Amino acid sequence: METEQPSPSPAPRAHPERRRRDLAGGEPGAAKPARREPPPSGPAAPAEPAPSGQSALPGRSSPRGPLPPSAAGAPADLSPPPGGGEPGPPSPPDRTLPKVRVSGPADILAVVPHLIGFHPSLSFVVIGATGPRRRVELGFRYDLPDPPGAAAAAEIADHAVAVLAQRGASMVIGIGYGPGRLVTPVADAFAAAVRQRRLQLRELLRVEDRRYWSYLCANAACCPAEGTAFDYQSHPAAAAMTVAGLAAYPDRDAVAATLAPPAGAAARAMDEAIDRACDRAQALMDRARRNGPGGPLRFVVSQGRRAVREAIRVYRGGGRITSEDKIAWLAVSLVHLAVRDDAWARMLPEHRQAHLSLWADIVRRIDGPWLPAPASLLAFTAWQSGDGTLANIALDRALGADPDYSMALLLRDILTAGVPPSQARLPMTPEEVAESYAQPSPRRQSGRPRQRRGGSRRKGR
């Protein structure tokens, strides 16, 4: 299932391969999971869950509520589902979305872009609702296979229905965005799979050129052959979502672009800051070697953890880090698994908005071998917030820098399986993380970043 956020890249000078090897110690890492998810560009691309939390993207600062399906009698309720996590005051406090009631296809179509964060195209969107009020539990998106095919359509349908069943959805809606030749095979396969699971298929729509068609309605009086026109921009539900801060981007690429790394002078300045951070880390390692027994990375890890704690404190207090040197030191420190896992253990869900902003700010400004750790932490926090689109874009960035990065692979499997955000529990407490890394381990993995062949850490350099 899907999500996102970006970054720029720094390159240590002189001998980058040797330098990364020196700065990365032998540290225990997470076990590498089997990769089950198909690539994002494939026929059954990862689905994008409709957000139920918050996003760090511009114009998307409010909690995302569940998507209301159309109802036969009473209109469905649109309000954020209760989130799991440890108690505590949110920092900053979450805003509560107004309840939006919908009762027909046009209402649903007006709300969908605001819930997934962008206007879908060439996509199949699935919505699942539970309970007597038919309140949406989840929503997610697939790329339409092109060229169309029965096998690809069945793969999407089977995966979608399995996720819906696992989440306990009793009523479902399917919406295909695109021409009939692409939408109909998936819609037919989805309808058959839903019937086989004995779920209630409330609506099955196709949308194209500001018109929609229902696959379930044969009444020409309400469902004409030329389709039914709808005006998204003037719809009150869309207006309410926009006012609440849930702006809809034109498409997924526009969302990803908000996380793009800087270029030009900003990129060069960040490269220089990364070099200074590497010099600082090397100096700490040299000092550790001179000061008796103990691992050469112990001062790097200690100062890295301190920097992470300070960054979290700043963002929870409503501040931001703008210093290139502070961002660079965080990026270099997070290469070490003992620092990354300490940060992971501090991602309390009640502070998810602050954490989203922190990791997004780092990911936007770094790239290459320094990217996988903060991008994976961003993906975890986005999943925790119910923002699947943001989570998957962050994972695309992480795995683009290191295709074998185990935390990113683990999170991608979790998102593909449709595991709900309520299951985004912290792996350990910070104290347990510290204790685990203090214990000698017969099986230690290197935490060093992996660089693509070619030497340069940034395209064009």
Side-chain angles (χ1 to χ4, degrees), residues 203 212-228:
E203 188 57 273
Y212 66 84
W213 292 260
S214 173
Y215 287 97
L216 304 184
C217 179
N219 185 349
C222 64
C223 301
E226 67 273 17
T228 303

Side-chain angles (χ1 to χ4, degrees), residues 70-247:
S70 60
D77 179 25
L78 177 60
S79 55
E86 302 177 20
S91 303
D94 294 345
R95 287 187 289 170
T96 302
L97 283 179
K99 290 184 178 180
V100 179
R101 298 181 180 275
V102 301
S103 58
D107 299 342
I108 300 168
L109 297 177
V111 168
V112 166
H114 298 272
L115 292 174
I116 66 172
F118 61 93
H119 291 267
S121 63
L122 299 179
S123 302
F124 192 76
V125 174
V126 178
I127 298 163
T130 61
R133 300 182 68 183
R134 297 163 190 171
R135 189 168 175 271
V136 165
E137 174 68 19
L138 75 163
F140 46 98
R141 184 197 71 90
Y142 298 89
D143 290 332
L144 289 173
D146 189 7
E155 182 181 357
I156 288 175
D158 291 345
H159 180 269
V161 172
V163 171
L164 290 166
Q166 186 263 336
R167 295 287 293 272
S170 57
M171 187 180 74
V172 302
I173 295 173
I175 308 170
Y177 291 82
R181 71 177 186 87
L182 300 182
V183 173
T184 301
V186 178
D188 288 345
F190 180 71
V194 167
R195 286 194 297 269
Q196 187 174 8
R197 289 273 188 162
R198 300 184 182 278
L199 301 175
Q200 180 188 359
L201 182 59
R202 178 59 195 163
E203 188 57 273
L204 187 59
L205 302 171
R206 182 174 76 84
V207 180
E208 187 179 21
D209 296 333
R210 297 179 179 270
R211 291 181 174 270
Y212 66 84
W213 292 260
S214 173
Y215 287 97
L216 304 184
C217 179
N219 185 349
C222 64
C223 301
E226 67 273 17
T228 303
F230 74 98
D231 185 359
Y232 157 80
Q233 291 182 335
S234 64
H235 198 285
M241 301 291 274
T242 301
V243 169
L246 295 180

Side-chain angles (χ1 to χ4, degrees), residues 443-455:
R443 179 172 160 232
R444 306 180 76 83
Q445 297 181 9
S446 172
R448 70 176 178 271
R450 298 165 60 97
Q451 182 180 11
R452 298 179 190 174
R453 294 182 181 178

Side-chain angles (χ1 to χ4, degrees), residues 273-424:
I274 286 286
D275 280 352
R276 290 191 293 272
C278 289
D279 288 340
R280 175 182 173 183
Q282 188 63 59
L284 288 171
M285 292 171 62
D286 293 342
R287 175 181 152 202
R289 291 189 180 101
R290 292 193 301 268
N291 290 340
L297 285 168
R298 64 187 186 278
F299 294 154
V300 174
V301 169
S302 175
Q303 291 199 18
R305 286 172 171 167
R306 185 180 305 127
V308 165
R309 291 195 300 271
E310 174 62 16
I312 291 172
R313 184 193 65 78
V314 167
Y315 278 78
R316 287 183 184 178
R320 303 195 88 142
I321 294 175
T322 58
S323 163
E324 290 158 348
D325 284 315
K326 288 184 178 180
I327 292 287
W329 178 246
L330 285 166
V332 170
S333 299
L334 287 164
V335 164
H336 306 291
L337 300 183
V339 178
R340 183 206 69 185
D341 289 352
D342 178 82
W344 191 359
R346 298 178 188 277
M347 295 299 97
L348 300 176
E350 61 266 29
H351 298 291
R352 60 182 178 270
Q353 179 59 40
H355 302 156
L356 281 170
S357 296
L358 167 60
W359 304 125
D361 280 353
I362 297 176
V363 169
R364 288 187 184 103
R365 299 179 68 181
I366 52 106
D367 207 347
W370 316 106
L371 178 60
S376 296
L377 289 165
L378 173 60
F380 175 81
T381 309
W383 170 46
Q384 193 180 53
S385 302
D387 194 338
T389 300
L390 178 62
N392 269 302
I393 289 178
L395 292 178
D396 289 345
R397 295 298 308 280
L399 293 170
D402 184 353
D404 298 322
Y405 198 72
S406 61
M407 181 179 177
L409 291 171
L410 173 64
L411 290 171
R412 177 137 282 175
D413 285 346
I414 288 171
L415 291 169
T416 303
V419 179
S422 60
Q423 297 300 308

